[in-house]
Amino acid sequence: MPIWNQTNVNHLLARSLFGFSAKDSQQAMGYGNFSDLINKALLADAPMPAAPNSWVTLAPLQAQQNDGSAGNWYRELTYWWYNRMLDEGLNMREKMVLFFHNHFSNERDKVSYPQHMYQQNQLFRKYAFGNFKQLVKDVTIDPSMLIYLDGNNSRGSSPNENYAREIMELFTLGIGNYTETDIKQAAKVFSGWQVKDLVSVFDSTRWYTDATVTVFTKAAKFKYDTLIDWIFEQKAAAEFISRKLYQEFVYYKPNEAFVLQMADVLRKNNYEMKPLLRFLFNSDEFYKASIQGSKIKNPSELMVGSAKLLQSKATDTVNLYELAKTLQMQLFQPPNVAGWPGQRDWISSTTYSHRGGFTDSLLTGKRYNGVAVTGKLDALTYARSFVNAEKAVEFVDELVALSLRFPLSDVRKKFLLDTLLDGTTIMNWSTYTASADTRINKFLKALMRLPEYQLC
Amino acid sequence: MAWLSGGVAWGMGSMTGKAYAQMPAAFASAAGSLRGKALVIIQLNGGNDGLNTIIPAEDDIYFSKRPDIAIKKENGLPISNGMYFHPAMTGIKKLYDEGQVSVIQNIGYNNPNRSHFRATDIWNTGSDANVLWDEGWASRYLTTKYPSFPMKFPKDPMAIQLGSVESLLFQSDMGRFGTVFEDPNLFYQLVNGSSADTDLPPATMAGDELGFLKQIATSSIQYASVIQAGANKGKNSFTYPTTNLAKQLAIIAKLISGGLETPIYLANIGGFDTHSNQLNQHLNLWKTISDAVSSFQNDLKNQGLDEYVSVMTFSEFGRRLNQNGTTGTDHGTAAPMLVVGKTVKGGLVGPNPNLKNLDSNGDIKFVYDYRQVYSTVLRDHLGLDAVNTQSIFKQSFERLPIYNNSPETLPENSSLELVNPVPNPVEDYAFLQYSVFAPNTFETKQTIRLAVYDLSGQEVQQIYSGEKAIGSYQMTLDLSRLSAGFYIISLSSSTGQRINRRMIKQ
């Protein structure tokens, strides 16, 4: 059993949530043990959030594209989702929604109506802790997916192979666990569907007419859902999604022995996600010292997490929206059907530099290009919310422990302390001196520009 | 602990050093060049439909398999031998007519993969289909060219990618070779104010990630100012279209013009995964490429830089001959590549796609391996030698007649290669490279004879006689026993092939 202490709890929050504030961390410690924190907070079921607006039920019309409505609604949908993340508290449902959005990657460039994307986003929320097999079935005939992977209008007589390939390669089994023939045969089974306004409709006259098709050596008159049942009978299925979860929540290079344990849990629970997540977050593997601080934050974690860390009251979601594009994680616009690869792929000379620019913007109230950012930090009020605000060394230690999962060397702590003091002495430090405001801002800027800050 | 804001190199503590083969200087760059060569790679993301790019518009099968999306002969732009450019490729067609475009047909590899991601990795790493490599072929070339990296960073960026997410092409176990940005001035502005320290991170899983972040920080700090200075010094002398690809190429031209000695640039255009309604989309894509590339060539030509630069396109696969039920095409295999520049031979290389003899999946069989194109570009454009080229791919690939200085003939006619000895004239020792290729697909070796002859045809010194495994070889010849005069070094094979190279002994 993992040891219950602040370090391990902060590690759990850093990975399962979009970052956390000092208050979140204290509240989590209040649960007193992992079991209660996980069951009563992280994995607790919650009602579905209200829709961002009434446009979600409008039938798609070309006019909505022409007059710019669709683009504006996509923005609204994205702000709405950021607000779900910012307000997640100690519940990890939104993290799972993002996990599934990345897993069943759909791009708004092709799914041009946000109504479809909103439906899919709510589907992920519904199944965040639910049955993965059923989610795959629902996603298969989800309008957004039908549009994105060309199931829409695919006919049994000359089926489009796109969805059949990606469900096997990227959604359920992984490369090497199927043949080109399996894809061709499965493509027939997935045919017959069309998107009509906001729903998908099956038309048997567009379906395949062969008596049977053969997939994974079994011949049958498969339907889309019985074929998915059969896909989940393949050994690779439970391992594939377990590996992906491991890479998201633990470490990007999977520990295959542990992945097999996860797959066992998943199979025994008939592909229910909640028991698997409970197993993962109660495991010693998850809390290993070598795992902590080894994940490169994705841009959503970085941006939402920084806002939470700074206890931002009115986070500028326009700023998040714009910077997400620059940082290569525009929501509803993953790079391709494989989603965002994550970890080191987040970082290039450009994105690394822009990350620093983003955290600066929360302190300065200005984006790199000069555009104003709302919710600028009140440095003095913020500092004084910490019990150690008037003790420079302890204040630095407290902020480091709160915001960095990578253990910082004493030399680097000294650098942060020197930045905070900026010429004054430990003895003379007080948030009530004339330039304390500037000093705290400089210190926070340096803290969030440390390469260590990019890790969680 | 030292903090730095530029100039000082940061050593990668947790990364192991690698032995490398130092090239003799004579092989390292083309003699007489005022500046180094540059290769500009344009990646076509999604799998470009080769058959609607370089079109077999006189082949009835093409029309019968693509009733809704075939492009008619009268609309295509004629190349030769029954092949036509897509109608949108007017700029490239003009360059072709000027002898500046080599079109290499049916490029692929054995056991082709039809997954976007795996196939892209194969093209980026230069591996066989059944082998997983995690280093880009370009980064292995750059490891040879910059053996001190990452202990030392060379003056100019080793590779530049326009965009935001670094390609596997530039990733290696030694670190990241690419500097990635969208705009030189913005890049400078963002990096300004960053710092990186020289502490070594601990050798742990998290420490490795921290080391990675620090390397990126350090190279960004170092190169942001170099790139900005290059962009300010350089210029564009031609008006480019406003497309994203054209903007990327305009920046590259400006940096080359500004004196950057970066050998490899990567630009990118997406949208080639044309599963449905492909005609319009594909047209727009090729209009974009054609207009951008022809602007780039005009710009370089106006500035007298066109002999130093060539452009190569690649995509992860071609698309199926048969159209699908949604007037698009599904994932396929072999497809053409374009190499553009003043120093290319120009013309159509290789036979036309064979639409009768398809593979079991209904896809075109490849004729030339994609690494034959890479090997040709590395050797005949970037000036890498045969042995180092082999070490990049861990196999020798016969070159194709792409550049003016490439071999004249297509590979099925040759099974040997002998490079001119250096130095020449020689005093006592000469450096010699030769390659033995498979005369057919079954052989893994050849019986060869390598010897020195005088002008009367008399053998004066035998170098090697016997079986040699397929591959590239290098050796230092001791010629101290020979008297001054003219000699021939001759490499012959039991297949009947013979190559002679002249040599003067001082």
Side-chain angles (χ1 to χ4, degrees), chain A residues 161 169 252 348-350 412, chain B residues 115 164 180-181 197 209 320:
Chain A
E161 288 175 18
E169 178 177 340
Y252 72 116
S348 71
S349 355
T350 285
R412 314 206 73 188
Chain B
S115 151
S164 290
V180 184
F181 58 89
D197 70 275
E209 302 313 296
R320 189 148 309 152

Side-chain angles (χ1 to χ4, degrees), chain A residues 174-343:
Chain A
I175 200 162
N177 293 305
Y178 53 85
T179 66
E180 290 292 321
T181 312
D182 292 329
I183 289 172
K184 282 189 152 66
Q185 297 296 299
K188 296 181 183 178
V189 179
F190 292 124
S191 70
W193 290 90
Q194 283 178 295
V195 177
K196 296 267 170 75
D197 290 340
L198 295 181
V199 294
S200 39
V201 177
F202 182 69
D203 176 354
S204 59
T205 66
R206 292 167 162 260
W207 205 37
Y208 73 109
T209 52
D210 315 41
T212 62
V213 295
T214 304
V215 183
F216 307 129
T217 71
K218 177 168 150 181
K221 183 77 185 180
F222 285 111
K223 293 191 295 177
Y224 84 92
D225 52 349
T226 56
L227 177 58
I228 289 167
D229 284 332
W230 177 228
I231 289 174
F232 275 88
E233 293 292 312
Q234 311 303 306
K235 182 171 175 293
E239 292 163 21
F240 184 73
I241 191 66
S242 296
R243 185 177 297 110
K244 191 119 181 220
L245 279 166
Y246 185 98
Q247 292 178 293
E248 173 63 30
F249 289 105
V250 189
Y251 188 59
Y252 72 116
K253 295 175 183 167
N255 171 350
E256 290 296 336
F258 190 78
V259 167
L260 291 182
Q261 289 183 41
M262 291 173 69
D264 268 349
V265 173
L266 195 57
R267 278 192 213 100
K268 280 183 188 135
N269 289 283
N270 188 31
Y271 291 94
E272 290 289 334
M273 294 300 279
K274 200 182 269 192
L276 176 59
L277 292 168
R278 196 178 287 137
F279 169 77
L280 177 64
F281 295 130
N282 275 303
S283 71
D284 289 329
E285 171 80 10
F286 179 77
Y287 295 93
K288 277 184 189 164
S290 57
I291 296 294
Q292 302 200 15
S294 65
K295 182 185 182 188
I296 296 177
K297 292 173 185 169
N298 68 43
S300 303
E301 290 170 327
L302 175 79
M303 294 193 302
V304 174
S306 299
K308 287 182 170 189
L309 174 71
L310 298 177
Q311 298 165 17
S312 167
K313 299 274 186 312
T315 304
D316 188 338
T317 47
V318 179
N319 191 35
L320 303 193
Y321 183 94
E322 296 299 336
L323 262 294
K325 286 199 266 184
T326 309
L327 296 177
Q328 303 303 307
M329 196 186 198
Q330 184 182 12
L331 298 176
F332 308 115
Q333 187 59 51
N336 53 48
V337 61
W340 295 284
Q343 196 68 5

Side-chain angles (χ1 to χ4, degrees), chain B residues 398-460:
Chain B
E398 292 189 77
R399 286 173 290 167
L400 299 168
I402 296 172
Y403 289 93
N404 288 324
N405 59 337
S406 297
E408 290 292 322
T409 51
L410 286 167
E412 46 267 13
N413 305 324
S414 69
S415 55
L416 294 176
E417 182 190 339
L418 178 61
V419 179
N420 277 316
V422 283
N424 198 4
V426 59
E427 287 182 8
D428 288 339
Y429 295 95
F431 182 77
L432 194 65
Q433 289 201 352
Y434 64 98
S435 299
V436 178
F437 299 112
N440 58 53
T441 45
F442 313 109
E443 300 291 335
T444 56
K445 57 186 186 293
Q446 281 199 53
T447 304
I448 62 152
R449 184 174 177 81
L450 182 60
V452 183
Y453 297 84
D454 65 20
L455 289 185
S456 70
Q458 199 67 39
E459 180 179 309
V460 293

